[in-house]
Amino acid sequence: MKGGKLIIFSAPSGSGKTTIVRHLLQQEELNLAFSISATSRPRRGKEKNKEHYYFMSLSEFKNHIKNDDFLEWEEVYRDNFYGTLKSEVERLWAEGKNVIFDIDVVGGLRIKKKFPEQTLAVFVKPPSVDELKIRLKKRSTESEDKINMRIAKASVELATAPQFDSIIKNYDLDTALKEAHDLVAEFIK
Ligand code: 5GP
């Protein structure tokens, strides 16, 4: 596999990375396209298949693992698998795009390791774990149990921040958006 640039945004759930990624996708001059991940988790709220994720059953997901179809995959939460299909990145590269990822820290670092020169790996840091809890509760798309699972994972994820190329502190959204834009613009130059 070879092609354009890979831009990774990783962070604990609720850090605001999805908002940042969406904002960057609207900036035409960055020529970005979103890597749609595959997942075995159920659809949430207004999510659409082939837009937010390629939703699939656990057995379908495991078949893709067996066939070596993934660039990286992860059991992010128990029985909830997420992964980047090689075919997805190839599809976007064929369109001449730089590919942007909203993926977990382990997956992000794995892609960075596979394509060290082509990849910019950015970690988005939330103000605090307490603030994360508030944001996840406000989102109210998950049960209390699931929220607690995400919070427990956040501390482990925060410890990986130094392994990324850059860290954006998402304390103030406008500042974070600008920082993210400048980092990406510089990297794809
Ligand atoms: P959510 O269920 O909130 O959509 O995502 C849960 C976590 O899985 C988030 O941290 C998200 O970034 C991550 N994730 C989404 N797609 C992928 C993927 O393709 N690979 C990996 N490793 N993580 C992913």
Side-chain angles (χ1 to χ4, degrees):
M1 282 178 80
K2 59 178 184 342
K5 298 273 167 77
L6 303 173
I7 318 282
I8 290 161
F9 277 83
S10 292
S13 184
S15 303
K17 71 175 181 305
T18 304
T19 309
I20 296 176
V21 167
R22 283 202 192 124
H23 169 79
L24 294 175
L25 279 163
Q26 286 166 3
Q27 316 305 309
E28 275 178 28
E29 77 283 6
L30 299 178
N31 191 30
L32 298 172
F34 181 65
S35 164
I36 304 169
S37 296
T39 184
S40 69
R41 85 144 159 77
R43 223 175 287 190
R44 220 164 45 200
K46 290 189 182 141
E47 286 177 337
K48 289 202 183 102
N49 189 33
K50 301 186 185 171
E51 188 178 321
H52 297 93
Y53 282 107
Y54 297 112
F55 291 100
M56 55 183 70
S57 66
L58 194 55
S59 67
E60 232 178 307
F61 197 102
K62 287 185 174 168
N63 261 331
H64 280 300
I65 297 176
K66 230 194 295 169
N67 295 338
D68 194 27
D69 291 334
F70 287 112
L71 196 55
E72 61 78 34
W73 63 270
E74 224 12 70
E75 186 175 8
V76 177
Y77 307 107
R78 185 141 50 96
D79 275 347
N80 285 356
F81 286 71
Y82 297 78
T84 306
L85 289 161
K86 291 176 186 168
S87 57
E88 176 66 2
V89 175
E90 279 161 358
R91 174 178 80 85
L92 300 174
W93 273 348
E95 289 176 15
K97 297 285 190 181
N98 299 307
V99 184
I100 188 163
F101 301 79
D102 173 345
I103 68 178
D104 97 312
V105 296
V106 179
L109 291 171
R110 229 170 240 160
I111 292 180
K112 173 75 191 172
K113 211 167 170 189
K114 280 195 178 163
F115 301 98
E117 301 306 319
Q118 271 161 275
T119 305
L120 171 70
V122 183
F123 188 92
V124 183
K125 212 170 179 179
S128 66
V129 172
D130 279 346
E131 176 62 23
L132 263 194
K133 216 179 277 185
I134 294 166
R135 289 185 191 178
L136 284 174
K137 284 197 174 146
K138 244 195 232 159
R139 191 159 90 179
S140 70
T141 46
E142 286 116 325
S143 63
E144 183 86 19
D145 257 15
K146 291 236 165 91
I147 289 178
N148 288 336
M149 198 162 76
R150 283 171 188 249
I151 298 293
K153 198 165 186 242
S155 313
V156 180
E157 290 169 328
L158 283 167
T160 68
Q163 296 176 54
F164 283 74
D165 297 319
S166 302
I167 299 175
I168 290 180
K169 293 181 184 149
N170 189 8
Y171 299 177
D172 168 68
L173 184 60
D174 285 340
T175 312
L177 293 179
K178 184 169 184 322
E179 257 180 65
H181 178 277
D182 292 351
L183 270 174
V184 174
E186 180 61 30
F187 183 70
I188 63 170
K189 223 163 45 184

